[in-house]
């Protein structure tokens, strides 16, 4: 579904991503892991068109995304939940959710003003808080809103950057349950960046490790050995 090869990215004179390669198979959940500062969030931003690629290929269902605008990636069916959530604090929950309606692939042929019911089935708290401002929600509720906003797009691939960061443990468990339900029951492909190893082992089938801007290891989650953890994840 998503195939990245030979991807390079620069910030000015700094070379951040070095010939990165990564694949996300249809229906899989893949966890991108590595210590802070190795380029994980940068990679996701390049995939989403928020940062330019210097060279390389990013293909989503055979469409090469390099050089394409960010809004096209959303229309193709990629939902993105950035690190820090980045909801609109002054807008209501309902307004946050409605923002994505016009970006859906189906919007051009069949415009809709209805928020998909699946969002409220997964996150009942959002339906109860439709009139509340996003900035008044707790951190866990804001993360649920950010995921719900991405799901409004009815994506084929959901990308999440540190979905458990700064979230209370009970909500972390709920978010894990939601990812499992979306991936295993609904068949939604998932790519996530995650630091919490138990969470990653629970929700993902595959892992990719990054070190200093490069992908250095990948495989089935049961192949993530203690040696790999020690070399590439332990601080």
């Amino acid at each position: 579904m998503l195939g990245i090869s030979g991807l390079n990215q620069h910030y000015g004179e700094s070379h951040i991503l070095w010939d990165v390669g990564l694949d996300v198979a249809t229906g899989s959940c893949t966890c991108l892991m590595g210590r802070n500062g190795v380029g994980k969030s940068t990679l996701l931003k390049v995939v989403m068109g928020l940062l330019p690629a210097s060279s390389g290929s990013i293909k989503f269902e055979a469409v090469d995304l390099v050089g394409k605008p960010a809004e096209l990636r959303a229309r193709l069916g990629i939902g993105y939940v950035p690190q820090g959530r980045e909801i609109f604090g002054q807008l209501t929950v309902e307004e946050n959710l409605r923002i994505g309606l016009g970006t859906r692939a189906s919007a051009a042929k069949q415009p809709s003003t209805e928020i998909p019911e699946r969002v409220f089935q997964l996150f009942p708290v959002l339906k109860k808080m439709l009139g509340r401002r996003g900035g008044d929600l707790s951190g866990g509720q804001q993360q649920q809103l950010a995921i719900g906003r991405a799901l409004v797009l009815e994506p084929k691939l959901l990308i999440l950057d540190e979905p458990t960061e700064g979230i209370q443990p009970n909500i972390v468990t709920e978010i894990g349950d939601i990812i499992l339900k979306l991936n295993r029951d609904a068949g939604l492909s998932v790519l996530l960046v995650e630091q919490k190893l138990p969470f990653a082992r629970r929700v993902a089938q595959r892992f990719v490790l990054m070190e200093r801007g490069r992908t250095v290891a990948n495989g089935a989650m049961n192949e993530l050995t203690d040696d790999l953890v020690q070399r590439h994840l332990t601080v």
Side-chain angles (χ1 to χ4, degrees):
M1 170 170 276
L2 179 69
I4 301 170
S5 62
L7 187 66
N8 290 273
Q9 198 274 338
H10 294 77
Y11 277 128
E13 298 298 317
S14 299
H15 196 160
I16 307 300
L17 299 179
W18 297 73
D19 295 320
V20 169
L22 183 152
D23 291 294
V24 178
T26 300
S28 71
C29 180
T30 299
C31 187
L32 180 62
M33 308 174 77
R35 298 184 180 95
N36 289 334
V38 300
K40 304 184 300 295
S41 292
T42 296
L43 175 58
L44 298 191
K45 289 178 180 178
V46 174
V47 170
M48 292 308 302
L50 303 175
L51 291 173
S54 303
S55 62
S57 172
I58 306 171
K59 289 190 176 181
F60 179 69
E61 295 191 322
V63 177
D64 197 339
L65 301 181
V66 173
K68 303 288 195 307
E71 59 268 23
L72 174 67
R73 305 172 197 225
R75 284 196 185 279
L76 287 172
I78 305 178
Y80 175 53
V81 182
Q83 187 177 25
R85 301 180 279 278
E86 295 184 14
I87 63 160
F88 296 98
Q90 296 303 312
L91 300 184
T92 66
V93 168
E94 183 173 7
E95 289 167 337
N96 269 278
L97 292 172
R98 287 188 180 281
I99 284 172
L101 287 174
T103 313
R104 293 187 298 176
S106 61
K109 295 180 180 178
Q110 192 176 7
S112 174
T113 59
E114 295 298 320
I115 298 166
E117 187 59 31
R118 179 172 72 163
V119 172
F120 299 127
Q121 291 172 351
L122 293 170
F123 303 112
V125 68
L126 297 182
K127 195 163 192 175
K128 298 176 183 177
M129 297 184 171
L130 283 174
R132 292 187 63 177
R133 292 191 311 174
D136 294 335
L137 304 183
S138 69
Q141 291 165 348
Q142 288 185 7
Q143 187 62 278
Q144 292 178 71
L145 175 57
I147 297 173
R149 182 179 61 183
L151 293 176
V152 165
L153 296 173
E154 297 179 336
K156 302 172 186 176
L157 171 65
L158 180 64
I159 296 178
L160 306 111
D161 193 353
E162 301 275 13
T164 68
E165 183 179 46
I167 305 300
Q168 57 267 42
N170 64 313
I171 301 298
V172 168
T173 300
E174 285 184 27
I175 290 173
D177 292 342
I178 295 300
I179 293 173
L180 287 169
K181 185 176 294 186
L182 288 169
N183 175 238
R184 297 181 184 177
D185 297 344
L188 180 63
S189 305
V190 178
L191 171 63
L192 76 151
V193 167
E194 182 52 59
Q195 299 276 37
K196 294 183 174 67
L197 190 55
F199 184 90
R201 290 190 189 278
R202 179 186 174 215
V203 303
Q205 297 108 36
R206 299 193 63 81
F207 72 91
V208 177
L209 293 178
M210 288 188 69
E211 185 76 43
R212 298 181 182 179
R214 293 178 168 87
T215 45
V216 294
N218 67 84
M221 189 55 77
N222 61 11
E223 297 172 344
L224 181 58
T225 62
D226 291 343
D227 178 61
L228 286 172
V229 170
Q230 181 67 34
R231 278 192 287 153
H232 301 295
L233 299 177
T234 303
V235 178

